[in-house]
Amino acid sequence: MAKRVVLAYSGGLDTSVAVHWLGSELGLEVVAVAVDVGQGDDFEALRERALGAGAVEAVVIDARAEMARDFVAPAIAANALYEGKYPLVSALSRPVIVRHLVAEARRHGAEAVAHGCTAKGNDQVRFELGTRALAPDLEILAPARSWGFTRAEAIDYADRNGIPVEATKEKLYSIDENLWGRAIECGVLEDPWAPAPEDAFSLTKPGDTEPREVVLSFEGGVPVGIDGRSLALEDLVRELNGLVGSYGWGRVDMVENRRVGIKSRETYECPAALALVLAHRDLEDLTLERDLAHYKAVLEIRWAELVYDGMWFSPLKEAIDAFILASQRHVTGDVRLSLSRGSCTVAGRRSPAGLYDHGLATYGSEDSFEHADAAGFVKLLGLGIETWASRQGGIGAGGIA
Ligand code: ARG
C-alpha cells in the first residue's frame, strides 16, 4: 500500500498542484485537510477541488471557535502586535492548522504531513516547527519548496494534469485571511514606496456610516460583549470586523522583518484585532498595577516575536503564557470606543477592579492624598543624583553656561 501524507489544503493553486505532485512524483496517497479558521471559503467546493486534484480523501474541519478561544484570546491578553504593528493574523492560524494536521495524520495512519508554503516565507517555519513540537516522528514534505515552479508554470502543470484551479496567470495579490484579519502581499505592493491600491482591501471599506460609540466588555482579559450583548469570541470578532471595518479603519502598511531574513512590504486589514488590542490595553492601564504593567509590556514584545517566529509550541512561550494569564485576573470592565470615518479611539473606560482612585487623583475638594508625604519622598528620590552632581563640581550649571 502506498504511504500516506496529510496535506494542509487551502484550495489555492499551490496546494492543488501539491495534491497531484505528491501523488504522481512521490507515489503517496494524499489526504487533503482544509481547516476553517474563518477565511470564509466555500468548503464544499474546496473539498471537491481537492478530490478533483487526486486526493484519496478531503477533510474539512471547523476550527473557528478553537481559533478564537485558544489563539485569538491569548493574543489579545498579550496585546500582540509584531514589531508594534502586525496583530499576527497568519501567524496565529498556522498552529491551529498544525494541530489538526497532526491529529488527521494519526487518524489516517499517515507517516508524513505536507504544506504548500514556499521557501521565502514565515509560514513554512510555523508549519514545521509546530509539527516537530507536536509530532517529532512525522516526516514533513514541502513540495512548493522543491518543485521550483513559477506561478505560470504551476498553472501550466495544473492544466496539463487536469487539476481544477481557479487561478489565473495575472494574479494581483497573495492573500491570507482568517477570523483575525487579512494579509495582502505581492503584485504592486512589492514596491514599498507605492501606496496600496484601494482594490487590495475588502474588510476596511469606509461606508456612509454616522459616527458612533461602541462599548466592549472584557472579563479576565477576554472580550465577552459588545454594547452589553454577550457574544462568543468568534462571533464578537466577526461582528467587530464588520462594524469597525465599515469606518475604513484597521489597515496596516509596513515593512516587516521576516524570520528568514527578508524585509517585506506587507499590508493588512484587521479592524477587530486592532480595536480589541487598543481597548484591552486601555483596560489594563486602569486595572494593572504599575510594575506589572511595565514588565508585561516587555514580555509582550517577546511573545509576539515567538508566535511570529513559529514558536507557538515552545517552552519560553508556555512560560510567558503563564505570566500573562496571571496578569489578566482583574482585567475586567468596559471600554468605550469612538468610531468615525478613518478613526477609532478610546473615549472612556470603567472597571469594578479599577485602580483609579478619584480621591488620590483629584485636584478638587474630595482629596484623600497625604500631601505632606510627598516632600520627603521626593527628597530621598533625588538624594543619589544630588550627591553625584555635587562630586562633578556642579554639572548642571556648567552645562548651561
Ligand atoms: N507576513 C505575514 C506573516 O508572516 C503574512 C503572511 C501571509 N501568508 C501568506 N501565505 N500569504 O505572518
Side-chain angles (χ1 to χ4, degrees):
M1 206 178 81
K3 285 193 160 195
R4 292 196 151 192
V5 59
V6 172
L7 169 71
Y9 184 70
S10 72
L13 174 65
D14 282 344
T15 53
S16 295
V17 167
V19 171
H20 189 277
W21 196 89
L22 290 165
S24 61
E25 302 291 321
L26 304 185
L28 299 171
E29 280 182 3
V30 181
V31 176
V33 174
V35 183
D36 183 356
V37 284
Q39 62 270 56
D41 282 330
D42 173 351
F43 284 94
E44 203 32 56
L46 216 101
R47 242 180 65 78
E48 294 298 320
R49 214 177 302 154
L51 294 171
V56 294
E57 204 165 327
V59 184
V60 175
I61 292 154
D62 182 355
R64 287 173 296 180
E66 176 187 353
M67 164 102 183
R69 184 192 63 228
D70 296 349
F71 297 84
V72 163
I76 295 168
N79 297 317
L81 296 175
Y82 177 66
E83 297 187 333
K85 296 177 187 164
Y86 164 47
L88 298 171
V89 176
S90 305
L92 286 178
S93 77
R94 297 312 187 261
V96 190
I97 298 171
V98 165
R99 245 193 206 170
H100 288 286
L101 212 54
V102 167
E104 291 304 308
R106 299 304 187 215
R107 203 159 73 82
H108 292 275
E111 296 83 6
V113 295
H115 62 74
C117 308
T118 56
K120 287 186 163 185
N122 297 309
D123 291 324
Q124 55 178 340
V125 180
R126 298 168 184 152
F127 270 114
E128 297 186 27
L129 299 196
T131 302
R132 284 161 64 194
L134 298 183
D137 59 301
L138 289 176
E139 199 182 329
I140 302 168
L141 303 173
R145 221 164 39 195
S146 42
W147 64 43
F149 292 151
T150 62
R151 183 173 172 82
E153 286 163 358
I155 291 177
D156 287 339
Y157 180 97
D159 287 346
R160 270 201 316 280
N161 293 285
I163 304 167
V165 291
E166 284 183 345
T168 52
K169 287 188 184 170
E170 275 321 303
K171 188 183 173 191
L172 290 177
Y173 308 109
S174 159
I175 290 161
D176 185 48
E177 186 165 358
N178 62 55
L179 185 65
W180 206 222
R182 196 162 167 269
I184 312 126
E185 304 174 307
C186 298
V188 290
L189 299 172
E190 285 179 359
D191 174 0
W193 174 248
E198 229 5 75
D199 73 357
F201 301 103
S202 71
L203 284 179
T204 52
K205 293 278 192 199
D208 294 327
T209 25
E210 286 296 308
R212 63 165 278 184
E213 289 194 341
V214 58
V215 175
L216 300 180
S217 302
F218 293 82
E219 271 173 30
V222 181
V224 293
I226 297 181
D227 287 336
R229 271 180 302 121
S230 298
L231 288 164
L233 185 54
E234 67 271 27
D235 298 326
L236 187 151
V237 171
R238 198 174 325 115
E239 186 170 322
L240 207 58
N241 266 329
L243 177 65
V244 178
S246 73
Y247 287 87
W249 188 84
R251 295 180 185 177
V252 179
D253 182 332
M254 68 189 285
V255 173
E256 170 181 306
N257 288 292
R258 289 195 188 159
R259 190 62 190 93
V260 294
I262 299 172
K263 278 199 192 288
S264 153
R265 195 278 185 87
E266 305 276 339
T267 46
Y268 302 104
E269 40 183 0
C270 23
L274 294 178
L276 284 165
V277 169
L278 177 71
H280 176 266
R281 191 174 258 163
D282 194 275
L283 188 58
E284 285 190 332
D285 291 343
L286 181 63
T287 55
L288 295 193
E289 179 275 332
R290 180 178 185 262
D291 273 342
L292 175 59
H294 290 188
Y295 202 73
K296 179 171 182 283
V298 175
L299 292 185
E300 285 172 358
I301 294 171
R302 196 71 190 97
W303 193 95
E305 281 170 358
L306 286 165
V307 173
Y308 185 87
D309 290 354
M311 308 267 183
W312 182 273
F313 306 105
S314 70
L316 179 55
K317 154 81 171 39
E318 207 175 282
I320 298 178
D321 274 335
F323 174 96
I324 291 176
L325 188 66
S327 74
Q328 295 302 291
R329 205 172 317 148
H330 304 299
V331 186
T332 294
D334 303 320
V335 178
R336 183 204 292 262
L337 295 180
S338 173
L339 300 171
S340 60
R341 195 181 165 96
S343 154
C344 170
T345 52
V346 176
R349 71 291 286 160
R350 65 181 173 197
S351 167
L355 301 177
Y356 178 85
D357 185 318
H358 185 259
L360 292 178
T362 186
Y363 286 98
S365 57
E366 294 107 65
D367 187 357
S368 60
F369 183 71
E370 290 291 346
H371 289 246
D373 290 348
F377 167 76
V378 178
K379 193 165 178 20
L380 293 190
L381 192 66
L383 188 57
I385 294 177
E386 191 179 316
T387 307
W388 166 77
S390 72
R391 297 294 185 271
Q392 322 277 314
I395 46 165
I400 289 164

